[in-house]
Amino acid sequence: LTSRVGFTEVTDDGAPTGERTIALWEPGFIEGAEGDNGAPVRRAATTEAAEIMAATVGEGARTLAFVRSRRSAEQVALRCQAELSGALARPDFAQRIASYRAGYLAEDRRKLEKALDNGELLGVATTSALELGIDVGGLDAVVTAGFPGTVASFWQQAGRAGRRGQGSLVVFVARDEPMDTYLVHNPDALLGRPVEASVFNPENPYILYGHIYCACIEQPLTDAEVRFYRAEQVIQELARQGLIRRRPQGWFAVPQLDSDLRPETAHSQVSLRGGAGNDVLIMDTSDGRLLGTVDGARANSQVHPGAVYLHQGESFIIDDLDINEGIAFATPGEPEYSTQPNSTTDIAIMGAANEDELKDYGGGVWAALVDVEVTDQVVGYFRKLADGTTSDLFPLDLPEQRLRTRAVAYTVDPLALEAMGIRAADIPGALHAAEHAAIGLLPLIATCDRWDIGGVSTALHQDTQMPTVFVYDGHSGGAGFSEEGFKRFPEWIAATFEAVRSCPCESGCPSCVQSPKCGNGNQPLDKAGALKLLGALVTLTAS
């Protein structure tokens, strides 16, 4: 193709944008507040973002605030409204603030998009749902609460303002976690770094399955095309299930009578984002209306019984979750707390690493890229009050969820840990803290978000029979993130060590070794032990 068609390289941004001012904002500490293990507590990035959005809207600047979760979109919109109605004395502006996120019904999303585009709305708190694919002009400011996972996403969000040639303001508000803290103190890593190369696994059979079937529907696939996509096993599985058939012209889709995956509906059944599908519907029990949906893989943690669910400024409490029927029942309520799930996670290695996927760094340290099965179960939830205190655990009886994926793992000989000055009793806390920090810094080298990956650490893993740390892809079959971690292990560990070492806290905080998604409530954690371990790993991997 390249020999027959001429190409023109486009290297300059030709968009009609005006002067852009970028501010990096690190929230201050809350005086007298203590988090887990007595760690200092910063003001929440969402709180800061809501107040900044209120200030910009109050000055007449139409503003988007990007946040990291659906719940945060609702909370930021509500807090911005309160700030405009109260301290800024602009209740008229408060009525023109809204939230936008995935999970809303299509007609609700279209209504919000139109109101934002025509100026009826002055400010919108949104997830990445407004990052791509929707053309909204006339915006003056963007507030990004937390690093969106990639430099590409950051610039995409920043580019939503100033699209008609006017000047614009972009404020990046750092969350209290390793990656954000690293970037706000090393701005060149964000502003002076080129957009990342996309990282994904094109041979992932879980992703290929639906896409190869759709390809066969549109046009028969030849054997040469199957080999090109390395989809031989997927083709054989589709043929075994009777979904496709081999003919002289290639592989054809076969009409289905009683299958969920059939030619006339296949394209709508396949997620372009590689999600698990099987959305769970969320229904308001007071009037029977459909509030929205949540991905089936996240339902146990987001809409479990007792969970607080926010929808367009309204609060609901989940009464019941029926996974088999794909529906969660919600009742309107105004609880003075939020909820946080608690879970247990086990990981099993499904086969030995290939020779080129195992690295001996010497000194009793090995790293490997392995196939794993992760078993996760939400076992309860905590209620978190406005002052940051949490309740005792409310137990839940929910089914296990299993995930076959890829992981980068490193093992350390107990004798090596002893030589590092880490006592046997301190091994679990040191590994756990190092795991959290590594998860927080993997997005620095791989095109991912910390919520796309997970981790497990153990002082004695049943498969390795040694202290082991796993960081795994949160997508069936793997997405290529852990592979990047394995390939660039020395660089990854060096950045992780620097982030933990430079944090001024004494015993660990969300900026270094605590994690907002830890199913064990950030217990146990040993920052001092993690520093000894990471420092030794840097020395060994650099040699």
Side-chain angles (χ1 to χ4, degrees):
L1 180 64
T2 55
S3 63
R4 290 181 284 128
V5 180
F7 291 91
T8 300
E9 183 178 5
V10 178
T11 58
D12 296 324
D13 184 356
T17 56
E19 182 178 284
R20 177 184 292 145
T21 299
I22 299 177
L24 305 184
W25 184 286
E26 185 175 41
F29 292 106
I30 301 174
E31 187 175 352
E34 290 187 357
D36 292 339
N37 303 317
V41 178
R42 291 188 185 275
R43 282 172 56 85
T46 50
T47 300
E48 301 280 87
E51 293 181 0
I52 293 171
M53 179 163 73
T56 54
V57 168
E59 292 294 326
R62 294 174 59 201
T63 305
L64 272 184
F66 284 98
V67 296
R68 306 306 314 283
S69 70
R70 298 180 180 187
R71 177 191 294 273
S72 293
E74 304 282 357
Q75 291 173 330
V76 168
L78 287 171
R79 189 172 186 92
C80 180
Q81 290 171 347
E83 188 75 9
L84 285 167
S85 296
L88 298 180
R90 292 305 308 259
D92 52 330
F93 282 4
Q95 297 175 7
R96 299 168 68 184
I97 304 295
S99 58
Y100 183 102
R101 59 173 176 79
Y104 285 171
L105 301 180
E107 54 266 33
D108 291 335
R109 293 200 305 272
R110 299 293 90 80
K111 187 184 300 182
L112 288 167
E113 291 162 16
K114 182 178 179 181
L116 180 60
D117 191 42
N118 65 24
E120 181 181 339
L121 287 175
L122 297 177
V124 172
T126 179
T127 61
S128 58
L130 271 180
E131 185 179 303
L132 288 169
I134 300 169
D135 187 20
V136 178
L139 297 176
D140 306 299
V142 165
V143 182
T144 296
F147 182 58
T150 66
V151 173
S153 289
F154 171 77
W155 287 117
Q156 184 65 39
Q157 292 181 5
R160 304 307 283 174
R163 290 170 65 88
R164 293 179 179 169
Q166 75 273 31
S168 62
L169 170 68
V170 178
V171 183
F172 167 61
V173 183
R175 288 186 301 173
D176 198 6
E177 62 175 60
M179 187 66 178
D180 288 39
T181 301
Y182 181 88
L183 292 175
V184 83
H185 289 282
N186 298 272
D188 282 346
L190 176 64
L191 305 180
R193 187 170 142 212
V195 170
E196 307 92 342
S198 182
V199 174
F200 68 102
N201 179 11
E203 300 171 26
N204 183 336
Y206 295 89
I207 302 298
L208 274 180
Y209 181 87
H211 287 275
I212 290 295
Y213 180 55
C214 287
C216 292
I217 292 170
E218 295 182 9
Q219 182 174 309
L221 278 182
T222 66
D223 289 336
E225 289 171 326
V226 171
R227 288 192 298 271
F228 175 80
Y229 292 116
R230 299 185 182 180
E232 292 90 345
Q233 290 184 345
V234 171
I235 282 287
Q236 294 303 321
E237 178 62 21
L238 287 167
R240 187 189 67 79
Q241 295 182 13
L243 293 170
I244 61 174
R245 184 177 299 158
R246 179 77 169 83
R247 294 178 180 173
Q249 298 93 335
W251 292 95
F252 284 77
V254 177
Q256 303 293 312
L257 296 178
D258 57 357
S259 171
D260 290 335
L261 199 62
R262 58 184 67 182
E264 62 269 26
T265 62
H267 291 75
S268 63
Q269 296 291 317
V270 176
S271 170
L272 291 177
R273 296 180 181 271
N278 302 320
D279 284 350
V280 171
L281 306 178
I282 304 167
M283 180 172 291
D284 182 351
T285 59
S286 67
D287 57 14
R289 64 177 170 141
L290 180 63
L291 297 174
T293 62
V294 63
D295 188 288
R298 300 181 180 182
N300 283 359
S301 61
Q302 294 189 5
V303 290
H304 56 76
V308 175
Y309 178 76
L310 298 178
H311 178 77
Q312 293 190 359
E314 298 179 77
S315 295
F316 296 84
I317 299 175
I318 303 299
D319 298 320
D320 190 28
L321 169 64
D322 190 330
I323 289 292
N324 294 329
E325 294 297 327
I327 188 167
F329 298 94
T331 298
E334 295 291 338
E336 297 182 351
Y337 58 84
S338 60
T339 50
Q340 180 178 346
N342 180 259
S343 62
T344 61
T345 305
D346 292 316
I347 192 166
I349 298 175
M350 304 309 294
N354 298 327
E355 186 175 341
D356 59 347
E357 295 177 339
L358 177 64
K359 175 71 173 179
D360 182 356
Y361 285 104
V365 174
W366 297 263
L369 185 65
V370 290
D371 294 319
V372 296
E373 182 176 72
V374 181
T375 303
D376 185 80
Q377 184 177 23
V378 176
V379 297
Y381 68 95
F382 298 102
R383 290 178 177 175
K384 191 168 185 177
L385 303 179
D387 62 3
T389 59
T390 56
S391 69
D392 292 332
L393 180 70
F394 289 81
L396 292 170
D397 183 19
L398 295 173
E400 293 180 342
Q401 293 182 302
R402 295 181 182 272
L403 173 70
R404 295 288 294 269
T405 186
R406 299 274 275 167
V408 54
Y410 67 86
T411 59
V412 187
D413 191 298
L415 294 177
L417 289 170
E418 184 179 350
M420 296 173 194
I422 302 174
R423 300 178 306 169
D426 297 330
I427 290 176
L431 295 180
H432 194 196
E435 170 217 324
H436 280 183
I439 289 173
L441 267 295
L442 184 57
L444 189 66
I445 64 170
T447 311
C448 68
D449 179 84
R450 84 178 290 164
W451 296 89
D452 292 326
I453 50 182
V456 175
S457 57
T458 175
L460 180 65
H461 191 265
Q462 70 270 16
D463 296 326
T464 65
Q465 290 299 301
M466 279 198 289
T468 308
V469 173
F470 296 88
V471 176
Y472 60 87
D473 293 356
H475 300 269
S476 296
F481 308 141
S482 57
E483 185 173 353
E484 281 294 294
F486 174 74
K487 290 178 180 177
R488 301 168 66 180
F489 188 74
E491 178 186 353
W492 175 29
I493 292 300
T496 302
F497 174 60
E498 180 59 31
V500 178
R501 181 176 63 174
S502 61
C503 184
C505 75
E506 293 183 9
S507 57
C509 70
S511 291
C512 57
V513 299
Q514 292 185 4
S515 170
K517 54 184 286 191
C518 180
N520 294 320
N522 286 304
Q523 295 287 346
L525 288 179
D526 183 350
K527 178 181 178 179
L531 282 171
K532 294 175 183 177
L533 172 59
L534 293 169
L537 291 179
V538 169
T539 300
L540 289 171
T541 58
S543 59

